Each structure stands twice: as structure tokens, then as C-alpha cells.
Amino acid sequence: MAVLIDGKKISQEIKDELKNKVAKLKEQGIEGALAVIQVGTDPASSVYVRNKKRACEYIGIRSESYELAEDTTEEELLALIDRLNHDDAINGILCQLPIPAHMDENKIIRAISPEKDVDGFHTQNVGALVVGQSGFVSCTPAGVIQLLKRSNIEIAGKNCVVVGRSNIVGKPMSLLMLQENATVTICHSKTADLKAMCKQADIIIVAIGKPKFITEEYVKEGAVVIDVGIHRNADGTLCGDVDFDQVMPHAAAITPVPGGVGPMTIAMLMNNCVASMTR
């Protein structure tokens, strides 16, 4: 039976560590503030924004909320970002994705100062990750690394298969695993024999956005399975990209959905926010 990797517990440990760091920084007169921008009223985005604000409050940094109407123009949003870039009281800027279709997502991401890009999406921070320099790292992949390390799962020398090649998860995830000395294979929708590739993995990280896509046929005995996906079933319950009930008996360790990778994303966002206080 697989060991359940408890993302709730590990994320709480990280937030408690950050809370102590923030308290010490405050003693030195160093304060932190995160600006959170949401355009429109997407229900899932509203939940994520609310959770981020709560996390800020918990660790002791201020959050400023900017809730903009759906019909806000791209120029108006860019003007707000520019103002926040030049506001010395703001350490981090986060624009909740997705944004409305009439806006250019890449343009918005590039507009945020790399020094305040606590999401780790700016091309300058992504480039820093590629060449192994310091910068903000995308929160979900960074959270996966912490899940593995804090669960005492060996990464160096292991075969790792990352299923998915998105800019937010798949690509940075593969680079972080490479930094940890794993041998990394990236798979995607055009991979010729996905099952065969996945079967080679000591660690499989799945981020493809398809509910319960990875079944027991994709996973070798004793593999570590990290499920980044999150979906809502017809009955209202949540599931991931991995068929948990099928895969769990064959895995050495596995993340549940919910309670696995999800809580780690916000914990690592808070980690980036605290790092931004001393940059």
C-alpha cells in the first residue's frame, strides 16, 4: 500500500516556518505586502484569491486586493501593474489567471516587474531557472520538489517522467527535477507510446488536465506518483489526473486530490513573497 504524501501537513509546516521568518524580519523593520489582482468574477479564481489572502494574513504579510470588472481594458490593467511596480511598499504582484479573452496574457505577465513576480511566470525568472541562476520559481513545481524532499523521497539518479509541457507546470517541473539530478523525460499529447514511457518512471509527475487519465497500466510497481491535476466529478467530489484508486495499490507513494499538491502551491507563493522582502 502506498504512502500518502500529505500536502496539507507539509504546507502547514512551510507556512509556520515562514511565519517565524516574517516575525524576525518585522523586528528588523522589514515589512511585506502582496498585491493581488483579479479581473472578473470567475468562481474558481475567487476561491484561489481568498485562500491567498488568508495565507498572507497567517504568515503576517499584508495583502492588497484589486478586484477589477470583467470589462476592464488591457490598458487599465497595465496602468495598475505599472503603478504597483513603482510602489516601494509592494513586494509582490500577482495577477490571477485566467484573465478575460480580450487581454493578452503574455503581455500582462511580462508587464510585472521580475523583482515582484512572485508567481515566477516572467520570462526573466523562467530564463534564470533554465540556466540555474536565482529567481522566482513557479509555485506548483516548487511545491512538488518540497513534497518529495520533505517526504524523504530520493530524487537524484531516479528516472522521472513529467506528463505535460505547460509553461506553468510541466516545463519548470522538468527543469527543477533536472537540478535535483533526476534523469528527466517530458511526455505530452504527441508522445508515441505514453504508457511505455510512464512505465519506466521511478517518479511520475502528472499535469495534463484530464481527469483520471493515468491508470495502473501507466505506473510501474513501486513508483512515486505526483498528481498535479484537479477536477470536479459529477457528484461534486474532486479528483486528479491520476485514477487514485487504481494506482494507489501499485505506488510506493502518492499524492491525494484534494490535499496533495494543491496546498503546496499557496505555501510556495508565500515562500516567494517572503523572499521578495529581502531582494
Side-chain angles (χ1 to χ4, degrees):
M1 187 65 74
V3 171
L4 218 56
I5 300 174
D6 190 343
K8 283 185 180 177
K9 177 175 174 288
I10 294 171
S11 69
Q12 189 61 50
E13 288 172 2
I14 291 170
K15 285 188 287 187
D16 286 342
E17 291 166 11
L18 293 171
K19 188 175 183 178
N20 289 332
K21 278 187 185 178
V22 170
K24 287 175 182 174
L25 287 169
K26 283 183 175 179
E27 287 173 5
Q28 301 168 39
I30 301 170
E31 298 278 347
L34 171 67
V36 182
I37 304 167
Q38 181 182 358
V39 187
T41 56
D42 177 74
S45 290
S46 296
V47 170
Y48 291 137
V49 166
R50 189 162 61 246
N51 288 341
K52 288 165 185 175
K53 289 178 189 172
R54 284 176 182 162
C56 285
E57 186 179 356
Y58 182 81
I59 70 166
I61 65 175
R62 186 167 55 85
S63 65
E64 287 191 5
S65 182
Y66 297 86
E67 294 165 1
L68 309 181
E70 187 86 21
D71 61 357
T72 298
T73 66
E74 184 176 271
E75 290 71 24
E76 288 170 330
L77 177 54
L78 289 169
L80 171 60
I81 290 170
D82 184 61
R83 179 164 66 80
L84 294 169
N85 280 339
H86 291 92
D87 185 344
D88 292 339
I90 298 295
N91 307 93
I93 303 170
L94 182 156
C95 187
Q96 182 66 41
L97 302 178
I99 54 176
H102 66 274
M103 296 179 178
D104 182 340
E105 186 174 291
N106 287 326
K107 192 174 181 181
I108 300 305
I109 289 169
R110 288 196 306 269
I112 296 171
S113 166
E115 296 294 317
K116 298 188 179 187
D117 167 43
V118 287
D119 262 333
F121 295 163
H122 194 285
T123 49
Q124 184 171 313
N125 283 318
V126 175
L129 174 61
V130 171
V131 297
Q133 293 178 0
S134 64
F136 290 120
V137 177
S138 186
C139 302
T140 299
V144 170
I145 295 294
Q146 287 300 311
L147 279 180
L148 294 169
K149 286 185 171 183
R150 290 174 184 248
S151 299
N152 298 313
I153 293 167
E154 184 69 34
I155 302 175
K158 301 297 183 182
N159 285 332
C160 172
V161 170
V162 177
V163 188
R165 53 178 168 177
S166 72
N167 291 335
I168 291 173
V169 180
K171 290 175 186 174
M173 189 74 256
S174 62
L175 290 164
L176 286 173
M177 292 299 283
L178 197 58
Q179 279 187 4
E180 298 295 332
N181 298 312
T183 300
V184 182
T185 303
I186 306 172
C187 294
H188 45 78
S189 59
K190 303 298 184 187
T191 298
D193 191 345
L194 184 59
K195 284 182 184 176
M197 298 300 288
C198 291
K199 274 279 193 182
Q200 299 173 29
D202 302 309
I203 301 170
I204 179 169
I205 301 168
V206 190
I208 51 172
K210 294 184 178 180
K212 299 184 180 180
F213 183 86
I214 298 295
T215 62
E216 60 186 337
E217 298 172 336
Y218 289 78
V219 180
K220 79 172 182 181
E221 292 292 326
V224 173
V225 181
I226 306 293
D227 189 351
V228 179
I230 187 160
H231 313 274
R232 194 167 292 280
N233 295 311
D235 63 0
T237 58
L238 297 175
C239 71
D241 290 348
V242 175
D243 190 323
F244 183 86
D245 292 336
Q246 270 200 30
V247 171
M248 186 176 67
H250 304 281
I254 189 169
T255 57
V257 176
V261 174
M264 295 299 296
T265 300
I266 290 181
M268 298 316 293
L269 171 66
M270 293 301 105
N271 184 69
N272 283 348
C273 288
V274 173
S276 74
M277 293 167 67
T278 54
R279 283 170 77 91

